[in-house]
Amino acid sequence: MERQTMARVAIVTGGTRGIGAAICNRLHKQGHTVIANYAGNEEKARAFTQATGIPAIRWDVGDHEACIHNCNDIAAEYGPIDIVINNAGVTRDGVLHKMSFDDWNDVMRINLGGCFNMAKATFPGMRERGWGRIVNIGSINGQAGQYGQVNYAAAKSGIHGFTKALAQEGAKFGVTVNAIAPGYIDTDMVAAVPAPVLEKIVAKIPVGRLGMAEEIARGVAFLTSENGGFMTGSTMSINGGQHMY
Ligand code: CAA
C-alpha cells in the first residue's frame, strides 16, 4: 500500500554541515520538523540556521546525559521524536603505532557511543508509540577497513552491528533501524585527507568521482518514509561502486 508522508519530528546529529546538513534539508523539504544537533562549529551552525530556518542545538553526542536531557527538551518543545539520524562522527586518523588512546577513545565514544546514547533517549518512545525510524550513518571503511583508521573502521563497523541488533528489537513495534554506508563524499571530512592519498582513493571509485552529500540524503529519505516499513536491519551502500558488499 502506498502511504503518504506524515509530518514527524526528526533529529539529525552533526546536522549543520556536510552529509548531516543535506539530510536536514531533505527531511525539512518533505515537511518534517527537523532539529539539527552540532558539537563545535558555532559559526557554521548559525549560518546553517539562518539559511534554512532549521534550529540547531549544541551538545556532544558522546555525552550520555546530554543526549537524554536534550532529547527530552526537544520532545517537550516540538513533540515526540519519531525520526533519528545518527550522523555525527569524527576522524582521528593515524597508523596504530602512532595512535594515542585518546584518538581511539574519542572516535569510539562519539561515533559509536553517540548511536547508543541517542537510541536510549528516543527508541523507548518510538517503541511505545508503535512507529519510528532510526538511520545510522556507517561507512565504507567500516565494511572494508582503511589504512590509518583502526578507530574509525571499528566504530563504523560497530554501527553496522548495532543497527542489525536494534532492528530486531524494534521490528514488531513498527520501528525500523537501518544503516547507510557512504563511500567517499565531498565533505570537509574527506577534504582533510592528504591530497595525494585522496587522489589514489578516487582513482579506485568505479563511478570516477566523490559522492555528493545529497546522494546520501536521498537514501535517508527513503529509509525514513512511511513506505520504508519493510526495510529494517539493512545497510544501504552508497559508494560509487568502490566496495560491493
Ligand atoms: N595501503 C598501504 N600502505 C599505505 C596506505 C595504504 N592505503 N596508505 C599509506 N601507506 C603507506 C605509505 O605508502 C607509506 O609507506 P612508506 O613509509 O613505505 O613510504 C606509509 O604507509 C606511511 O604513509 P604516510 O606518509 O601517509 O603516513 P602518515 O603517518 O603521515 O599518515 C595516514 C598516515 C594518517 C593514515 C594518512 O595516510 C591518511 O590520512 N590516510 C587517509 C586515511 C583515510 O582514508 N581516511 C578517510 C577519512 S574520510 C572518512 O573516513 C569518511 C568515510 O567514511 C569514507
Side-chain angles (χ1 to χ4, degrees), residues 191-231:
V193 174
V197 177
L198 189 58
E199 267 167 39
K200 283 189 199 143
I201 291 170
V202 175
K204 289 190 190 142
I205 303 175
V207 167
R209 62 169 173 86
L210 293 175
M212 293 178 296
E214 176 55 27
E215 291 174 304
I216 306 303
R218 288 192 199 115
V220 171
F222 172 70
L223 293 172
T224 54
S225 69
E226 305 294 324
N227 292 316
F230 200 58
M231 191 155 175

Side-chain angles (χ1 to χ4, degrees), residues 139-145 204 206 237-245:
S139 168
I140 186 175
N141 294 347
Q143 298 170 311
K204 289 190 190 142
S237 298
I238 306 180
N239 62 28
Q242 190 184 347
H243 180 65
M244 299 188 187
Y245 192 68

Side-chain angles (χ1 to χ4, degrees), residues 18-149:
I19 292 174
I23 295 170
C24 281
N25 287 328
R26 164 88 20 192
L27 295 179
H28 186 61
K29 269 191 205 132
Q30 289 183 301
H32 297 302
T33 300
V34 181
I35 292 95
N37 146 273
Y38 72 102
N41 196 325
E42 228 23 282
E43 205 180 309
K44 283 251 167 105
R46 242 195 320 271
F48 171 80
T49 299
Q50 254 169 19
T52 62
I54 296 170
I57 305 177
R58 183 175 187 165
W59 81 86
D60 172 5
V61 296
D63 178 337
H64 186 74
E65 292 308 321
C67 288
I68 304 286
H69 149 86
N70 279 286
C71 288
N72 286 344
D73 285 357
I74 289 168
E77 186 167 352
Y78 298 95
I81 299 157
D82 284 338
I83 299 175
V84 172
I85 315 302
N86 285 312
N87 166 74
V90 295
T91 50
R92 301 279 186 271
D93 291 355
V95 286
L96 179 109
H97 66 274
K98 294 184 196 166
M99 186 180 286
S100 68
F101 176 73
D102 284 348
D103 291 338
W104 164 263
N105 200 40
D106 281 353
V107 172
M108 296 305 286
R109 189 181 69 80
I110 296 166
N111 298 17
L112 182 56
C115 292
F116 174 79
N117 296 337
M118 288 300 293
K120 277 294 279 186
T122 58
F123 179 78
M126 295 176 185
R127 192 175 173 277
E128 273 164 30
R129 293 187 301 278
W131 199 94
R133 297 283 185 266
I134 298 179
V135 180
N136 301 316
I137 305 300
S139 168
I140 186 175
N141 294 347
Q143 298 170 311
Q146 170 62 34
Y147 188 99
Q149 282 200 314

